[in-house]
Amino acid sequence: MPRLLIFCALLLPLFAGCGKSGPSALSPGYTDAVEFKLKSRELAEQMLATMPNDAIQGFVAMPTAFVNQNNTSQSSPMGRLMAESLFYEFNQRGFPTREYRLNGAINVQGGRDDLALAANQMVSTNGQKWAALVVGTYYVDKDATFINARLVRASDGLVMRTGQLVLVNTPIVQRMAQADAPPPPVKTAENSSNARPAPTSLYTPASSISSGTLVIKQRR
């Protein structure tokens, strides 16, 4: 009997460790993450499965970060993840995509370089008749998040395809939908006016010379 008790005592930590195992493929958080990926796939299907496809032949997709519907200068981890997911989904369906951020086609604003719907942030359309921007907005409500996406011809803004989703506000969606921190304030002329003005004269007071506080070096 004492040996049996000792054996059971050694097994107890093992059983306790099994009860505290980390996330698995069956955990709710992982299931919600997979569901989010499938929603991105559904959005791509809506935008590319529409017939006829002649109108989008010869275009190259440029997915950009989805933005807050109420503030198009603001995005979030969810908005950027939607764009990254559509890079994959479009490419898998044979629709060519381009990584525009490598050549600076979209100007940087507030530390972000992929907000195509922000004011003064549209991709330059000069010589880019092939470009099709993938833009989108999201609206976070109490129980659900509404997403609208568009495939837009960059040369004139014509909407060629659309897509729409409704996401349940699972914990992962709520975390990713948190807005980005505001950009740091830009220095204004008022702040710079407090700086010490540059000297406007090369005149050196005689008192500084006579007191020996100023070293004078003569050159030949």
Side-chain angles (χ1 to χ4, degrees), residues 1-67:
M1 179 65 80
R3 292 182 179 180
L4 181 60
L5 293 176
I6 294 174
F7 180 73
C8 293
L10 294 175
L11 289 179
L12 281 177
L14 298 178
F15 287 114
C18 294
K20 298 180 180 180
S21 60
S24 67
L26 299 178
S27 62
Y30 180 81
T31 303
D32 293 340
V34 173
E35 179 66 20
F36 185 87
K37 170 181 167 57
L38 295 178
K39 285 294 185 179
S40 300
R41 179 177 301 177
E42 178 185 342
L43 189 63
E45 288 287 349
Q46 293 180 24
M47 301 176 73
L48 297 181
T50 305
M51 299 296 289
N53 287 328
D54 296 341
I56 58 177
Q57 291 295 325
F59 283 93
V60 178
M62 301 169 66
T64 63
F66 287 25
V67 297

Side-chain angles (χ1 to χ4, degrees), residues 184-192:
V186 180
K187 294 183 179 180
T188 61
E190 296 180 358
N191 295 334
S192 60

Side-chain angles (χ1 to χ4, degrees), residues 136-152:
T137 62
Y138 58 86
Y139 176 78
V140 182
D141 199 27
K142 178 182 178 182
D143 300 315
T145 297
F146 301 87
I147 294 179
N148 288 277
R150 296 178 289 280
L151 183 66
V152 181

Side-chain angles (χ1 to χ4, degrees), residues 120-193:
N120 302 322
Q121 193 77 7
M122 183 60 71
V123 176
S124 173
T125 58
N126 294 331
Q128 294 187 3
K129 295 182 179 180
W130 47 264
L133 298 176
V134 182
V135 299
T137 62
Y138 58 86
Y139 176 78
V140 182
D141 199 27
K142 178 182 178 182
D143 300 315
T145 297
F146 301 87
I147 294 179
N148 288 277
R150 296 178 289 280
L151 183 66
V152 181
R153 191 164 64 190
S155 59
D156 58 3
L158 178 68
V159 177
M160 299 186 291
R161 292 288 188 273
T162 58
Q164 196 174 57
L165 293 176
V166 178
L167 304 178
V168 178
N169 281 348
T170 60
I172 190 170
V173 170
Q174 290 178 327
R175 290 194 302 269
M176 291 193 303
Q178 295 294 319
D180 293 331
V186 180
K187 294 183 179 180
T188 61
E190 296 180 358
N191 295 334
S192 60
S193 62

